[in-house]
Amino acid sequence: MKTSTKARYSLRLMVDIAQNEDSGPVSLKEASRRQGISIKYLEQLAKTLGAAGCVTSIRGAQGGYLLTRPADEISAGEVIRAAEGEFLPIACLAEDEPDCPLHEDCTSSRFWGGLRNTIDSYVNGISIAELAEI
């Protein structure tokens, strides 16, 4: 399994904002310089994170991005789901997926469901504050 660049860079952006927002809104230009991620890509990520309620934008010359809540109230899982959607190790775990014809006899669904629950529990148990060590 691989985590997408979108999820990894979204976490990096959130951590950067958490570490630097004490001096005011964090500009994407500065975050780009610190993180080595293009401004265009950060703009896309910030838009997605804003729509998910993780960050808010401040317009103007001194504008930039701030977390919508304290960093210890935003989980890594929330950020990853904002970037990628729900973690589904197999498609039949999706709520909107039609019932699998093998569901009644599937011996591995408990395994895949357990994997999903384990990963969700881990990523939901780590806050942006912990990642930022603030």
Side-chain angles (χ1 to χ4, degrees):
M1 285 184 290
K2 287 186 177 182
T3 303
S4 73
T5 301
K6 199 173 185 184
R8 291 192 321 269
Y9 286 7
S10 291
L11 278 172
R12 285 173 54 186
L13 177 58
M14 292 291 289
V15 167
D16 189 276
I17 293 170
Q19 291 173 329
N20 294 287
E21 71 178 356
D22 284 346
S23 56
V26 175
S27 78
L28 293 183
K29 181 178 180 182
E30 288 300 312
S32 171
R33 182 186 55 75
R34 285 189 294 266
Q35 297 300 318
I37 304 169
S38 78
I39 293 175
K40 290 286 186 191
Y41 200 41
L42 288 180
E43 287 170 350
Q44 293 172 21
L45 299 177
K47 183 177 179 180
T48 300
L49 292 168
C54 296
V55 297
T56 188
S57 65
I58 309 296
R59 294 184 177 265
Q62 301 301 312
Y65 288 85
L66 298 170
L67 301 179
T68 57
R69 300 184 306 281
D72 63 351
E73 294 179 14
I74 302 172
S75 73
E78 183 179 351
V79 175
I80 291 168
R81 282 187 298 280
E84 299 193 331
E86 289 294 321
F87 170 72
L88 298 171
I90 56 175
C92 66
L93 293 177
E95 290 180 19
D96 61 349
E97 183 69 23
D99 288 342
C100 175
L102 301 176
H103 183 72
E104 294 295 320
D105 299 320
C106 183
T107 57
S108 62
S109 65
R110 285 181 306 182
F111 169 79
W112 295 113
L115 177 62
R116 177 188 183 181
N117 292 339
T118 300
I119 290 172
D120 281 346
S121 178
Y122 180 75
V123 298
N124 291 337
I126 307 260
S127 71
I128 296 302
E130 290 172 282
L131 294 174
E133 297 179 332
I134 57 174

